[in-house]
């Protein structure tokens, strides 16, 4: 039986990749990616060529988990990467691991840890992190209001991912339901326009409304 490697890759800055991740990507028989173009940029930078690339996104397209399980049974080592960070953290990676563990309980699945926007943001936010709740992406409709009420009541640090299309809406909800909370927004971590801003939801809303050019990129929201 071969090994399925779950490989962390950069969340922006291509230098944020471990030596082990590069070796495993160099040696893997197949590299499963979310978007081949994104992964190619990393492979090209480190002159990793000649690997078989396949897309994996169980819910959309690409090779199905059945085929990947077949590769593992044939003895092919498979490395799973996603577009950014640690596969499985709010991206398609976790479903494959679940399926492989279900169908091949003895399969070797190894973690090749690397960056994640979650840990990157928490590490620089300056809030208590010994105990936190991670919500991934918030639901767009059902349960959203209840969740904001829970966030307002929480004694723990709460972290979630947000898109530029929804960040203002989310800050409006935080202003309404959690006006007393301190919010930290970590934007574009490890990239040229990296920025961390803290304040009440009202203050941050004002900031982003006055600086619409900053309502861009990728966001992690931390509420404490
Ligand atoms: N698996 C990834 C990880 O380990 O962080 C997360 C994948 S999820 C599909 C993408 C979301 O992560 C983005 O919408 C954003 O909220 C967050 N994210 C990814 N890269 C980021 C960055 N460089 N700065 C801030 N947030 C980022």
């Amino acid at each position: 039986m071969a090994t399925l490697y779950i490989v962390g890759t950069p969340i922006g800055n291509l230098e944020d990749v471990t030596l082990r991740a590069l070796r495993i990507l160099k040696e893997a028989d197949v590299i499963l990616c979310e978007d081949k173009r994104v992964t190619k940029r990393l492979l090209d930078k480190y002159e990793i060529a000649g690997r078989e690339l396949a897309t994996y996104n169980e819910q959309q397209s690409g090779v199905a988990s059945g085929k990947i399980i077949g590769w593992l049974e044939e003895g092919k080592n498979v490395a799973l990467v996603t577009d950014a960070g640690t596969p499985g953290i709010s991206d398609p990676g976790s479903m494959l691991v679940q399926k492989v563990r279900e169908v091949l309980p003895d399969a070797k699945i190894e973690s090749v840890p690397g960056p994640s926007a979650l840990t990157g943001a928490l590490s620089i936010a300056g809030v208590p992190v010994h105990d936190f709740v991670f919500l991934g992406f918030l639901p767009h409709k059902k349960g959203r209001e209840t969740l904001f009420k829970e966030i307002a009541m929480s004694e723990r640090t709460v972290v979630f991912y947000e898109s530029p299309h929804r960040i203002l809406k989310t800050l409006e909800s935080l202003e309404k339901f959690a006006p007393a909370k301190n919010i930290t927004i970590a934007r574009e971590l490890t990239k040229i326009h990296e920025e961390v801003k803290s304040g009440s939801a009202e203050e941050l809303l004002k900031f982003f409304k006055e600086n619409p050019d900053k309502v861009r990129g990728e966001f992690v929201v931390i509420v404490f």
Side-chain angles (χ1 to χ4, degrees):
M1 178 80 68
T3 302
L4 171 63
Y5 296 96
I6 310 300
V7 184
T9 58
I11 57 168
N13 188 324
L14 290 185
E15 290 180 6
D16 295 332
V17 62
T18 68
L19 296 174
R20 181 165 171 242
L22 292 176
R23 179 179 58 76
I24 281 164
L25 292 175
K26 241 177 234 156
E27 292 173 0
D29 295 303
V30 184
I31 300 175
L32 293 175
C33 3
E34 195 175 345
D35 181 335
K36 284 186 194 176
R37 290 164 303 181
V38 175
T39 301
K40 278 269 299 150
R41 282 201 284 274
L42 178 70
L43 299 182
D44 288 349
K45 177 166 173 72
Y46 292 100
E47 296 174 355
I48 299 173
R51 300 295 85 198
E52 182 179 346
L53 291 191
T55 45
Y56 170 75
N57 191 339
E58 194 77 25
Q59 283 160 323
Q60 290 171 19
S61 57
V63 289
S65 51
K67 182 151 188 177
I68 298 163
I69 286 164
W71 286 333
L72 291 169
E73 285 176 315
E74 283 166 26
K76 284 188 172 175
N77 288 320
V78 177
L80 172 71
V81 299
T82 48
D83 285 353
T86 300
I89 308 299
S90 294
D91 65 26
S94 66
M95 212 175 268
L96 177 64
V97 176
Q98 276 177 37
K99 296 240 175 186
V100 172
R101 288 220 179 272
E102 206 177 286
V103 180
L104 297 177
D106 296 329
K108 224 171 143 205
I109 304 178
E110 280 188 24
S111 161
V112 185
S116 174
L118 169 65
T119 49
L122 281 173
S123 70
I124 56 170
V127 296
V129 284
H130 55 276
D131 185 9
F132 66 87
V133 178
F134 176 54
L135 300 175
F137 288 100
L138 302 185
H140 288 189
K141 290 198 177 85
K142 203 167 175 281
R144 200 173 149 88
E145 193 172 313
T146 313
L147 206 52
F148 280 113
K149 288 180 183 161
E150 282 171 15
I151 291 172
M153 301 287 290
S154 178
E155 286 179 11
R156 297 188 168 102
T157 297
V158 178
V159 195
F160 56 90
Y161 287 161
E162 195 47 279
S163 75
H165 316 292
R166 303 188 64 84
I167 190 75
L168 292 180
K169 206 165 179 278
T170 290
L171 284 172
E172 279 163 8
S173 301
L174 287 168
E175 185 185 26
K176 180 172 172 195
F177 295 107
K181 289 282 190 182
N182 185 270
I183 321 283
T184 298
I185 294 197
R187 186 174 83 87
E188 294 288 84
L189 290 170
T190 78
K191 303 184 199 175
I192 295 169
H193 298 293
E194 171 166 347
E195 186 168 29
V196 177
K197 273 277 195 255
S198 294
S200 66
E202 187 188 357
E203 288 164 344
L204 291 178
L205 204 49
K206 184 167 177 285
F207 172 79
F208 283 108
K209 281 187 176 161
E210 285 171 1
N211 298 277
D213 56 311
K214 301 202 171 194
V215 189
R216 276 200 202 133
E218 303 194 275
F219 298 82
V220 181
V221 182
I222 300 176
V223 184
F224 175 63

